[in-house]
C-alpha cells in the first residue's frame, strides 16, 4: 500500500529496530494516524446533515487504512488496556456518525441549514465512512490480541509510581491518568524484561511525565532498591517517538530518550510516598 514520506519515516524507525516493543497512543490509531492537527473530527450532528468535509473524510479513510497496515506488519506494536478502551469509544463515535449520516430527521432543527442533499454525494461520503469503520474495526481486532500480559500487582505498582511522581513534581492532569499509565507500562516492561520500549504518540504530556519519573528515581538514589530502574533509564531503554510537524521537518523521530536525562535536574527532595512506590515495584 502507498504511504507518504511521513509514514515511511515511521516504518524506517521500526525497521531500524530502535526498540523491541512499542506502545501506541490513541492519537496515532485509525483515522488519526499520521493526521494533521486539523484532521477530521467526527460529529453525529454534522454527519446527520451531511456536512462532514469530504476532503477530510477521504484523508481519514486513508489514515485508517495505513494504520491497519502498520499494525499488521509490526507485531511488536501493542496498546495498554486504557488506550484500547479509548479507541473503542472512538469507534463507537464513528458508528453513530455512520448510522445517522444524511438522516436530517435525526436532528430536525438542522433541517434546511446548509445541508448537502445530493444523493450521489451522500452515497459517496457514506461509503467512505463505511470504509473508515471497517478499517477501525480491523485495527481494534488486531490490537485486542496485543494487550500486554503483565502481573496485575506489578503493573499496578508502576502505575502508582508514575502517577505519584507526576503529581508530586508539579504535573497537572485535567482528565484521566491514561497517559501516566502508558508511561508506566513502558517503564515496567523496560525494567522487568530489560527491553527497549518506545511510546508512539503526538501527546505533548508524555515526555514531561517520563522526565518527572526520572527526577523521582534519580532523587531517590539513596534507596538502593531502585538501582535497577535507574540503570534501565540511564541505558536509554525508554523512549518517545513522535511526529514532528513543521515546515522543515514533517516526519516521525525519537523525541526523547531516557538516556538523555539531565541528572542535575533530579536533585530534588523526593517524598517518602514516592520512595515507597519505587520499592513496591520490586516486591
Amino acid at each position: 500500500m502507498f504511504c507518504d514520506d511521513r509514514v515511511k519515516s515511521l516504518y524506517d524507525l521500526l525497521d531500524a529496530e530502535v526498540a523491541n516493543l512499542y506502545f501506541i497512543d490513541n492519537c496515532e490509531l485509525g483515522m488519526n494516524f499520521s493526521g494533521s492537527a486539523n484532521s477530521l473530527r467526527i460529529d453525529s450532528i454534522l454527519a446527520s446533515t451531511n456536512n462532514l468535509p469530504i476532503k477530510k473524510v477521504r484523508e481519514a479513510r486513508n489514515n485508517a487504512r495505513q494504520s491497519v497496515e502498520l499494525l499488521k506488519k509490526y507485531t511488536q506494536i501493542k496498546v495498554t488496556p486504557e488506550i484500547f478502551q479509548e479507541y473503542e469509544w472512538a469507534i463507537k463515535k464513528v458508528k453513530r456518525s455512520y448510522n445517522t449520516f444524511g438522516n436530517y430527521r435525526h436532528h430536525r432543527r438542522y433541517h434546511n441549514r446548509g445541508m448537502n442533499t445530493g444523493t450521489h454525494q451522500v452515497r459517496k461520503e457514506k461509503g467512505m465512512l463505511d470504509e473508515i469503520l471497517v478499517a477501525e474495526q480491523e485495527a481494534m481486532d488486531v490490537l485486542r490480541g496485543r494487550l500486554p500480559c503483565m502481573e496485575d500487582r506489578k503493573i499496578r505498582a508502576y502505575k502508582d509510581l508514575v502517577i505519584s511522581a507526576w503529581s508530586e513534581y508539579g504535573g497537572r492532569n485535567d482528565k484521566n491518568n491514561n497517559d501516566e499509565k502508558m508511561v508506566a507500562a513502558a517503564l515496567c516492561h523496560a525494567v522487568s524484561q530489560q527491553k527497549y520500549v518506545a511510546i508512539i504518540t503526538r501527546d505533548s504530556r508524555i515526555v514531561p511525565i517520563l522526565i518527572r519519573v526520572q527526577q523521582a528515581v534519580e532523587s531517590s538514589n539513596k534507596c538502593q532498591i531502585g538501582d535497577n530502574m535507574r540503570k534501565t533509564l540511564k541505558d536509554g531503554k525508554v523512549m518517545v517517538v513522535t511526529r514532528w510537524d513543521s515546515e522543515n521537518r514533517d516526519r516521525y523521530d525519537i523525541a526523547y530518550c531516557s538516556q538523555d536525562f539531565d541528572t542535575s535536574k533530579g536533585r530534588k527532595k523526593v517524598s517518602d510516598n514516592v520512595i515507597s512506590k519505587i520499592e513496591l515495584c520490586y516486591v
Side-chain angles (χ1 to χ4, degrees), residues 25-239:
D25 201 353
N26 184 42
C27 59
E28 284 290 1
L29 282 172
M31 66 180 187
N32 292 323
F33 174 60
S34 186
S36 58
N38 61 346
S39 296
L40 177 67
R41 297 290 183 267
I42 290 291
D43 184 288
S44 58
I45 292 177
L46 290 177
S48 68
T49 56
N50 190 19
N51 276 323
L52 291 175
I54 188 168
K55 183 178 179 181
K56 290 185 179 181
V57 173
R58 187 180 294 110
E59 179 186 355
R61 178 197 60 185
N62 294 339
N63 291 345
R65 287 174 171 175
Q66 290 186 109
S67 176
V68 173
E69 293 299 318
L70 178 82
L71 294 174
K72 285 182 176 180
K73 180 176 174 64
Y74 299 101
T75 57
Q76 62 269 47
I77 298 177
K78 298 183 183 294
V79 67
T80 63
E82 295 80 15
I83 298 302
F84 184 78
Q85 188 176 53
E86 283 186 8
Y87 191 40
E88 280 187 311
W89 278 107
I91 292 176
K92 288 178 181 178
K93 195 171 182 180
V94 177
K95 283 182 180 178
R96 286 198 299 270
S97 295
Y98 175 78
N99 291 333
T100 62
F101 190 82
N103 180 16
Y104 68 86
R105 294 178 185 83
H106 186 74
H107 294 283
R108 292 189 179 187
R109 64 184 181 277
Y110 289 92
H111 184 38
N112 292 329
R113 293 189 183 181
M115 186 173 65
N116 183 354
T117 56
T119 304
H120 173 71
Q121 188 76 354
V122 169
R123 285 200 302 265
K124 184 176 181 180
E125 290 193 35
K126 188 162 188 176
M128 284 192 285
L129 279 178
D130 181 51
E131 292 179 63
I132 291 174
L133 189 56
V134 168
E136 298 275 21
Q137 290 276 21
E138 190 173 359
M140 190 171 72
D141 290 341
V142 171
L143 289 171
R144 186 176 283 109
R146 306 264 185 93
L147 292 168
C149 297
M150 293 293 292
E151 186 181 346
D152 288 343
R153 177 184 55 78
K154 182 175 288 292
I155 189 65
R156 186 165 57 248
Y158 277 87
K159 289 176 182 178
D160 289 344
L161 165 61
V162 175
I163 292 170
S164 296
W166 175 243
S167 61
E168 290 199 22
Y169 275 85
R172 294 182 57 187
N173 185 7
D174 300 325
K175 47 174 188 174
N176 51 46
N177 293 315
N178 291 351
D179 292 343
E180 291 90 327
K181 291 174 182 177
M182 185 164 54
V183 172
L187 181 60
C188 183
H189 281 76
V191 175
S192 302
Q193 301 177 7
Q194 285 301 297
K195 289 184 175 181
Y196 286 87
V197 185
I199 297 173
I200 302 173
T201 183
R202 271 181 288 163
D203 193 329
S204 60
R205 292 181 69 239
I206 302 301
V207 171
I209 290 172
L210 179 54
I211 290 175
R212 293 295 188 278
V213 174
Q214 290 193 257
Q215 287 177 329
V217 173
E218 189 65 29
S219 298
S220 65
N221 58 1
K222 293 181 181 179
C223 173
Q224 294 182 353
I225 202 166
D227 285 348
N228 189 26
M229 189 182 301
R230 195 174 300 109
K231 182 178 186 304
T232 297
L233 290 166
K234 284 183 176 179
D235 288 345
K237 289 185 175 174
V238 183
M239 61 198 79

Side-chain angles (χ1 to χ4, degrees), residues 2 16 23 127 254:
F2 169 77
F23 284 102
I254 298 174

